[in-house]
């Protein structure tokens, strides 16, 4: 009864949370209703460039600042780690009120340092990122008859030897009427109309509006310095401004000021609020994603055929022959054994560096579990691009929680290797808790010093470093130790055969066994290299990655291929009487990380040709190294566990003395 009462309390708490939140909408945020004349505030994010990959603060350049001063918006952990710095801006609109020739400010005469910095940022192709109602500003350009979409707009442009700044912005805000039927459909409940009223503040029946699009056209307009002398922010500029994006006029010069203006136009659109991110997430290359999946399926089918041959023709045939013989014939057959049957007394001999192997397998389970759970939640829409930073925050959360699984697997494997001995489980738990996070912390700290030296907003603040260390040692490590304790209490896996005290000599091989292991990584790489291109483009080219459904399918196929590759390689090694399969089974599938790193280097040379400077290249290679380390642990763990199951099954199916 007590458990039932507790269950009822939990149900009531969950219902209360949903009642307070009035339901939820998967892709990110709630619709915000604005009435005519309501103030819309534009926010600014960090300046970004695919040329350097170093984000900088918007106000590091001589732009207009808001009257109330620069203020940081609320940020989550993921935004800080990604280098996002969202701040308020002087741009503000009134809902459904078109305005033109709005004066912002006139800067002080550009100093020599400001002039050089502005030219440098223009040369490095830095983009200004604006946000309205959680929507990034989008810019359309026409090229070869096609419309290309970009988020943000460039700081300026270089024409011949002159530098021009985009100092006039033409905004288009797409709005949709806030109707009762839309509310009910968006909120997913028939009570949606009661949640947010469509009646105006003054009791009128005039509906409000929702922001469903935010477009910007940057222009370089020559303003006369004398015309802006006595103007205050948001005053009407005295002369008409013609915004022509095909021409540039405002050349920046040292010791001369720059005037900034803008205009805004509101357009009613048929776009519904749930579909407002479609312009950013419009699917391109869906056929390529399907081709990637079909390519992976072909590799899986090929490997599955080999595995089937191993099981049905070789193993089953040998086992059937052995079971049909009488005892005398079995004894005679034992003297004529060959291949994998000869290593029966050595196949479960403890590997070299067992503690490291257990820690790496435990960390691999933790990383793989984090990846699968995160991608599943992202595919369901809980971590869409509409919610900045939630993907990174979710990954950190799931990684810490799955420390229990890492400790459990590492300690249970340790006890299995040493036939149930409890000694040393705390040490193994600590290794699992500190191996991957320690290496990651070392890489990120080194890269962070480079970012600090470059004064980039991508640098993790010292306070956040302290938070990450506290999360590591106060949550992740204790959970891993708890998992280790559970693994120490759980029964170990018993070996089906005994191990001799004297190890059997491995006969000389015609070719190095590690050569096969390294070559095996090409097959898992073949299943994901197409999808890898889209992921790399998202990380380094500023494109939004959102096809998490495809990614989930590719990840499942990758796990299957890694298991099959490692299983086949382990069987091949056993057949040539090589009983040292533990580490080889791990690296047979884990070697895919080598090919991913080589692909990253290839991507740097041929796709990121514009990446300039040793700092940018070092950051790219450092983050790539961090990524491939995580992939190696995850894929290697899949290969090892599948091989362990295969070897255990193989030698438990036959009784050999």
């Amino acid at each position: 009864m007590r458990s039932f009462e507790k269950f009822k309390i939990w149900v009531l708490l969950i219902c209360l949370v949903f009642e307070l939140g009035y339901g939820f909408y998967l892709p990110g945020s709630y619709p915000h209703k604005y009435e005519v004349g309501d103030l819309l505030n534009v926010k600014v994010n960090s300046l970004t460039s695919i040329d350097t990959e170093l984000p900088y603060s918007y106000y590091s350049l001589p732009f207009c600042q808001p009257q109330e001063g620069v203020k940081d918006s609320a940020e989550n952990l993921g935004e800080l780690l990604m280098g996002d710095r969202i701040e308020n801006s002087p741009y503000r609109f009134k809902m459904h009120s078109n305005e033109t020739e709005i004066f912002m400010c006139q800067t002080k005469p550009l100093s020599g340092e400001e002039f050089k910095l502005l030219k440098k940022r223009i040369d490095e192709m830095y983009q200004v990122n604006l946000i309205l109602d959680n929507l990034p500003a989008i810019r359309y350009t026409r090229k070869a008859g096609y419309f290309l979409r970009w988020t943000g707009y460039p700081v300026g442009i270089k024409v011949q030897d002159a530098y021009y700044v985009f100092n006039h912005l033409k905004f288009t805000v797409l709005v949709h009427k806030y109707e009762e039927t839309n509310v009910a459909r968006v909120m997913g409940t028939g009570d949606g109309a009661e949640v947010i009223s469509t009646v105006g503040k003054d009791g009128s029946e005039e509906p409000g509006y929702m922001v469903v699009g935010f477009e910007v056209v940057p222009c370089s307009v020559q303003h006369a310095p004398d015309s802006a002398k006595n103007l205050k922010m948001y005053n009407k500029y005295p002369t008409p401004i013609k915004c022509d994006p095909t021409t540039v006029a405002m050349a920046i010069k040292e010791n001369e000021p720059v005037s900034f203006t803008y205009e805004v136009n509101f357009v009613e659109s048929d776009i519904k609020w749930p579909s407002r991110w479609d312009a950013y997430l419009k699917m391109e290359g869906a056929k390529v994603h399907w081709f990637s999946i079909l390519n992976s399926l072909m590799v899986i089918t090929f490997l599955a055929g080999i595995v089937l041959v191993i099981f049905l023709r070789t193993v089953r045939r040998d086992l059937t022959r052995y079971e049909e013989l009488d005892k005398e014939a079995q004894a005679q057959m034992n003297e004529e054994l060959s291949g994998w049957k000869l290593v029966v007394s050595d196949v479960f001999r403890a590997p070299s560096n067992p503690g490291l192997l257990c820690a790496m397998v435990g960390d691999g389970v933790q990383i793989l579990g984090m990846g699968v759970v995160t991608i599943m939640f992202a595919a369901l829409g809980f971590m869409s691009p509409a919610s900045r930073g939630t993907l990174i925050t979710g990954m950190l959360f799931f990684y810490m929680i799955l420390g229990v699984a890492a400790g459990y697997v590492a300690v249970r494997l340790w006890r299995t290797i040493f036939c149930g001995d409890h000694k040393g489980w705390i040490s193994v738990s600590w290794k699992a808790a500190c191996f991957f996070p320690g290496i990651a912390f070392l890489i990120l700290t080194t890269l962070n010093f480079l970012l600090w030296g470059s004064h980039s907003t991508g640098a993790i603040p010292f306070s956040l470093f302290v938070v990450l260390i506290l999360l590591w040692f106060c949550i992740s490590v204790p959970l891993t130790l708890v998992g280790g304790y559970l693994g120490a209490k759980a029964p170990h896996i018993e070996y089906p055969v005994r191990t001799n005290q004297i190890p059997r000599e491995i006969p000389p091989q015609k070719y190095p066994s590690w050569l096969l292991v390294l070559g095996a990584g090409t097959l898992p790489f073949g299943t994901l290299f197409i999808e890898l291109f889209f992921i790399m483009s998202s990380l380094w080219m500023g494109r939004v990655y959102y096809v998490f459904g495809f990614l989930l399918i590719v990840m499942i196929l990758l796990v299957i291929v890694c298991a099959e590759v490692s299983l086949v390689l382990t069987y091949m090694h056993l057949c040539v009487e090589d009983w040292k399969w533990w580490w080889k089974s791990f690296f047979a599938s884990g070697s895919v990380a080598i090919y991913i790193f080589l692909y990253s280097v290839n991507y740097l040379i041929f796709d990121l040709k514009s990446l300039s400077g040793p700092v940018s290249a070092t950051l790219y290679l450092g983050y790539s190294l961090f990524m491939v380390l995580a992939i190696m642990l995850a894929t290697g763990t899949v290969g090892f566990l599948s091989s362990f199951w295969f070897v255990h099954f193989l030698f438990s199916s036959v009784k050999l003395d």
Side-chain angles (χ1 to χ4, degrees), residues 5-316:
E5 290 296 326
K6 287 182 180 178
F7 175 75
K8 287 203 298 183
I9 291 171
W10 276 107
V11 170
L12 286 171
L13 283 172
I14 293 169
C15 291
L16 179 62
V17 169
F18 277 97
E19 185 63 29
L20 289 172
Y22 300 116
F24 63 95
Y25 173 61
L26 293 181
S29 57
Y30 294 99
H32 194 155
K33 175 194 171 186
Y34 298 96
E35 295 179 13
V36 175
D38 280 358
L39 203 62
L40 300 175
N41 291 308
V42 177
K43 296 179 181 179
V44 290
N45 203 342
S46 300
L47 303 173
T48 55
S49 169
I50 60 172
D51 186 57
T52 66
E53 301 296 344
L54 298 171
Y56 289 99
S57 169
Y58 173 82
Y59 294 107
S60 63
L61 294 181
F63 291 138
C64 302
Q65 297 195 4
Q67 292 174 330
E68 65 274 17
V70 178
K71 298 177 183 176
D72 290 332
S73 295
E75 295 169 331
N76 57 45
L77 190 62
E79 283 180 331
L80 290 169
L81 290 173
M82 290 296 290
D84 288 340
R85 296 294 184 270
I86 300 175
E87 299 164 313
N88 60 332
S89 82
Y91 296 104
R92 66 183 191 189
F93 317 140
K94 291 181 180 178
M95 173 56 77
H96 227 294
S97 299
N98 298 337
E99 296 177 290
T100 57
E101 290 102 27
I102 302 299
F103 175 75
M104 288 281 289
C105 75
Q106 186 179 67
T107 65
K108 295 177 182 179
L110 296 176
S111 65
E113 193 173 323
E114 288 176 330
F115 177 65
K116 288 179 183 177
L117 184 62
L118 204 51
K119 288 200 303 180
K120 185 181 180 184
R121 295 291 180 259
I122 292 172
D123 280 334
E124 292 170 340
M125 299 187 294
Y126 269 86
Q127 303 277 320
V128 178
N129 299 293
L130 304 176
I131 302 168
L132 176 65
D133 194 43
N134 202 38
L135 282 179
I138 194 169
R139 176 171 58 97
Y140 292 94
T141 56
R142 190 177 182 87
K143 188 175 182 181
Y146 294 96
F147 276 105
L148 301 176
R149 296 182 301 280
W150 310 86
T151 53
Y153 67 91
V155 171
I157 190 171
K158 181 182 179 182
V159 179
Q160 295 178 349
D161 294 329
Y163 290 84
Y164 297 86
V165 67
F166 290 116
N167 61 331
H168 179 82
L169 301 180
K170 182 179 180 181
F171 294 107
T172 302
V173 181
L174 305 180
V175 295
H176 187 82
K177 280 188 179 180
Y178 203 110
E179 297 171 353
E180 190 170 313
T181 52
N182 289 337
V183 179
R185 183 158 62 253
V186 168
M187 304 304 287
T189 170
D191 300 329
E194 298 174 14
V195 175
I196 306 173
S197 174
T198 58
V199 180
K201 293 177 184 175
D202 55 358
S204 66
E205 293 294 330
E206 184 179 357
Y209 291 90
M210 298 174 291
V211 176
V212 294
F214 184 37
E215 300 171 8
V216 63
V217 176
C219 297
S220 181
V221 179
Q222 179 67 54
H223 294 309
D226 296 337
S227 303
K229 272 187 178 179
N230 300 319
L231 290 178
K232 295 182 178 179
M233 190 174 282
Y234 308 121
N235 285 165
K236 185 93 169 174
Y237 195 76
T239 56
I241 299 173
K242 184 182 179 183
C243 181
D244 184 3
T246 60
T247 61
V248 289
M250 187 61 218
I252 56 171
K253 297 176 182 177
E254 193 172 347
N255 296 321
E256 287 192 12
V258 180
S259 297
F260 290 89
T261 54
Y262 74 92
E263 60 184 281
V264 60
N265 183 38
F266 287 84
V267 178
E268 292 198 26
S269 171
D270 293 332
I271 299 172
K272 301 291 193 297
W273 190 86
S275 305
R276 67 181 193 154
W277 274 86
D278 289 358
Y280 306 86
L281 308 180
K282 189 170 183 180
M283 183 176 291
E284 292 177 350
K287 291 182 179 178
V288 179
H289 288 282
W290 283 117
F291 175 76
S292 171
I293 291 171
L294 289 173
N295 174 62
S296 304
L297 286 172
M298 289 176 64
V299 175
I300 285 176
T301 306
F302 170 71
L303 289 172
I306 297 176
V307 174
L308 204 63
V309 168
I310 290 173
F311 271 106
L312 295 185
R313 295 192 59 187
T314 309
V315 178
R316 284 293 181 191

Side-chain angles (χ1 to χ4, degrees), residues 351-365 405-418 428-429 431-432 435 582-583 586 637 640:
S352 58
N353 301 313
L356 180 60
L357 178 64
C358 293
M360 291 174 71
V361 171
D363 283 346
V365 168
Y408 178 85
V409 172
V411 171
R412 194 171 182 201
L413 179 60
W414 171 265
R415 293 187 62 233
T416 298
I417 290 173
F418 291 99
V428 172
S429 299
K431 286 179 182 176
F435 178 75
W582 299 78
W583 280 106
F586 186 93
T637 297
F640 172 79

Side-chain angles (χ1 to χ4, degrees), residues 562-592:
C562 286
E564 291 178 342
V565 162
S566 188
L567 190 150
V568 171
L569 260 291
T570 299
Y571 181 76
M572 289 174 65
H573 282 111
L574 293 178
C575 284
V576 293
E577 302 174 34
D578 185 354
W579 47 267
K580 294 182 177 180
W581 59 272
W582 299 78
W583 280 106
K584 290 170 186 174
S585 66
F586 186 93
F587 287 112
S589 53
S591 61
V592 66

